[in-house]
DNA sequence: AATGCTACCTGCGCGC
DNA sequence: TGCGCGCAGGTAGCAT
């Protein structure tokens, strides 16, 4: 299914990995590489491991047994015996399990397994990053993250705590990973639509009932995304090659000019926090105290 | 402390 | 047909 979206890579892939996409990849990887051994590790682009020397990075992982594949927000965590390999795909990072010799353009990292297969980290835009740490929870890149929205303990109070003392637009706050981990541009717009909250609403003006609604909507849209194996705008492959199809379930994201599925009014697009933002001006009203530009 | 803005990077669509 | 511009995205880092 196409959504009038026309940009994709030459290999036909166009996803923006947020929590549901990373979780989909995590589940596939878990079934594919758990208890496999890393026979070889090759850093093809030093930029990927900026924080460390490529050689040291490689040797630290070489020969290690993969004991778990986990996720924190949008970060993928491949546990080996005594270390954790943390990966962030950013926008264009992809993981493919395929023949170790089948190296395609833009491959940045090769994790060769104990057969002819390798996990290929392919990243056209080179924004993706990789780290190795002994203790993932306190690591610099995940230590500051907000609560996991799909954990049992996530409720409107934990959201309220993270918004305390702040005055930014709610969409800006949702894109800030310290507020809630894993929300990106797609699911921020979808969650705000589902909760009937205008994206420019200052967070200090959100009542507890609105925060409750938003909390529930965040959980709903993320779970829906996972249930549909993530959002893609073209011939998306997960690492196994099966397509995600959550794009067919989005209500407002990149639906500018199309009728709101709730009221029929045209979906609007604005730029907020330097990001495309889509909403229904009828279903998502600005509080009166916010002046219209 | 909180917030805003830019750099980073590349392929593709669009307009001329 | 060819070229160049602008867009898309998440995060770190810097400025205010
Ligand atoms: Zn509407």
């Amino acid at each position: 299914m196409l959504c009038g979206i026309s940009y994709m890579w030459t290999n036909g892939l166009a996803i923006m990995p947020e929590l549901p996409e990373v979780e989909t990849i995590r589940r596939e990887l878990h079934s594919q590489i758990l208890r496999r051994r890393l026979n070889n590790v090759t850093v093809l682009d030093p930029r990927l491991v900026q924080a460390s020397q490529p050689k040291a990075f490689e040797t630290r992982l070489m020969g290690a047994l993969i004991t778990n594949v986990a996720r924190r927000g949008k970060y993928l965590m491949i546990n080996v015996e005594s270390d954790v390999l943390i990966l962030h795909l950013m926008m264009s990072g992809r993981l493919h399990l395929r023949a170790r010799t089948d190296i395609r353009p833009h491959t940045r990292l090769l994790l060769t397994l104990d057969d002819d297969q390798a996990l290929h980290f392919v990243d056209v835009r080179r924004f993706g990053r990789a780290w190795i740490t002994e203790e993932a929870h306190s690591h610099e890149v995940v230590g500051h993250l907000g609560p996991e929205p799909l954990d049992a303990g996530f409720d409107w109070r934990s959201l309220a705590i993270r918004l305390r003392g702040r005055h930014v637009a709610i969409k800006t706050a949702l894109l800030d990973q310290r507020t809630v981990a894993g929300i990106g541009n797609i699911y921020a717009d979808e969650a705000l639509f589902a909760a009937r909250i205008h994206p420019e609403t200052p967070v200090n003006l959100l009542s507890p009932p609105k925060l409750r609604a938003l909390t529930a909507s965040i959980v709903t849209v993320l779970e829906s995304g996972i249930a549909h194996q993530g959002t893609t705008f073209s011939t998306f492959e997960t690492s196994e090659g099966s397509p995600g199809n959550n794009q067919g379930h989005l209500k407002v994201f990149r639906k500018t000019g199309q009728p709101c599925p709730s009221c029929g009014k045209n979906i609007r697009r604005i730029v907020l926090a330097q990001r495309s933002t889509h909403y229904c001006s009828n279903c998502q009203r600005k509080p009166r105290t916010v002046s219209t530009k």
Side-chain angles (χ1 to χ4, degrees):
Chain A
M1 175 183 294
L2 295 178
C3 300
I5 302 307
S6 50
Y7 81 94
M8 62 184 76
W9 317 125
T10 47
N11 58 6
L13 308 185
I15 67 165
M16 290 164 282
E18 302 183 26
L19 188 153
E21 291 71 33
V22 178
E23 177 61 20
T24 300
I25 294 164
R26 186 201 70 77
R27 292 179 182 186
E28 287 189 12
L29 280 183
H30 191 267
S31 67
Q32 291 170 338
I33 67 172
L34 190 67
R35 287 186 285 277
R36 303 282 295 277
R37 202 168 280 281
L38 296 174
N39 265 13
N40 209 348
V41 177
T42 312
V43 175
L44 299 172
D45 183 358
R47 187 181 295 256
L48 180 78
V49 297
Q50 232 171 16
S52 58
Q53 291 298 317
K55 217 72 205 158
F57 187 98
E58 293 169 350
T59 52
R60 189 160 164 183
L61 289 176
M62 235 174 267
L65 187 72
I66 296 168
T67 55
N68 195 18
V69 183
R71 179 191 58 74
R72 178 81 171 93
K74 302 172 193 171
Y75 294 84
L76 204 55
M77 312 213 279
I78 298 177
N79 292 64
V80 296
E81 288 148 305
S82 56
D83 278 318
V84 184
L85 170 61
I86 303 177
L87 300 176
H88 198 303
L89 304 177
M90 293 295 272
M91 292 82 68
S92 60
R94 307 287 181 264
L95 289 168
H96 297 283
L97 187 67
R98 56 181 173 230
R100 63 179 173 82
T101 52
D102 185 11
I103 301 170
R104 306 194 190 174
H106 313 299
T107 302
R108 313 296 176 193
L109 175 70
L110 278 177
L111 301 174
T112 306
L113 302 177
D114 42 19
D115 57 7
D116 286 338
Q117 298 284 106
L119 191 63
H120 300 238
F121 189 112
V122 180
D123 185 10
V124 171
R125 290 185 190 168
R126 307 172 75 202
F127 282 8
R129 291 290 179 267
W131 304 262
I132 304 175
T133 179
E134 283 179 31
E135 224 298 297
H137 293 291
S138 59
H139 190 264
E140 46 171 337
V141 301
V142 292
H144 69 277
L145 292 178
E148 276 296 316
L150 300 186
D151 277 2
F154 181 66
D155 63 7
W156 76 275
R157 290 176 190 279
S158 51
L159 178 59
I161 288 168
R162 294 294 178 141
L163 297 177
R164 193 172 293 164
R166 302 174 67 185
H167 304 269
V168 288
I170 182 58
K171 165 136 183 192
T172 305
L174 290 178
L175 293 176
D176 184 340
Q177 300 302 293
R178 293 170 301 182
T179 309
V180 179
I183 299 174
N185 210 29
I186 297 173
Y187 296 94
D189 282 4
E190 293 296 318
L192 289 169
F193 174 78
R196 303 176 70 87
I197 296 170
H198 193 290
E200 288 180 306
T201 309
V203 297
N204 54 308
L205 297 185
L206 289 170
S207 63
K210 280 292 189 188
L211 287 180
R212 274 193 208 96
L214 180 56
T215 302
S217 298
I218 288 168
V219 172
T220 300
V221 300
L222 294 177
E223 286 183 340
S224 173
I226 293 171
H228 300 115
Q229 296 176 283
T231 300
T232 172
F233 293 105
S234 57
T235 54
F236 167 59
E237 309 168 37
T238 56
S239 60
E240 199 169 37
S242 56
N245 68 334
N246 194 56
Q247 66 281 1
H249 300 267
L250 300 179
K251 304 284 179 60
V252 293
F253 187 76
R254 289 187 177 171
K255 305 277 187 192
T256 310
Q258 297 180 41
C260 165
S262 179
C263 76
K265 195 158 190 246
N266 283 355
I267 300 299
R268 288 190 186 175
R269 177 187 180 275
I270 58 173
V271 175
L272 182 47
Q274 290 81 238
R275 294 290 171 262
S276 285
T277 299
H278 314 78
Y279 72 103
C280 173
S281 58
N282 186 39
C283 295
Q284 298 164 267
R285 300 291 182 89
K286 265 189 194 177
R288 285 194 314 278
T289 46
V290 180
S291 64
T292 46
K293 284 194 249 185

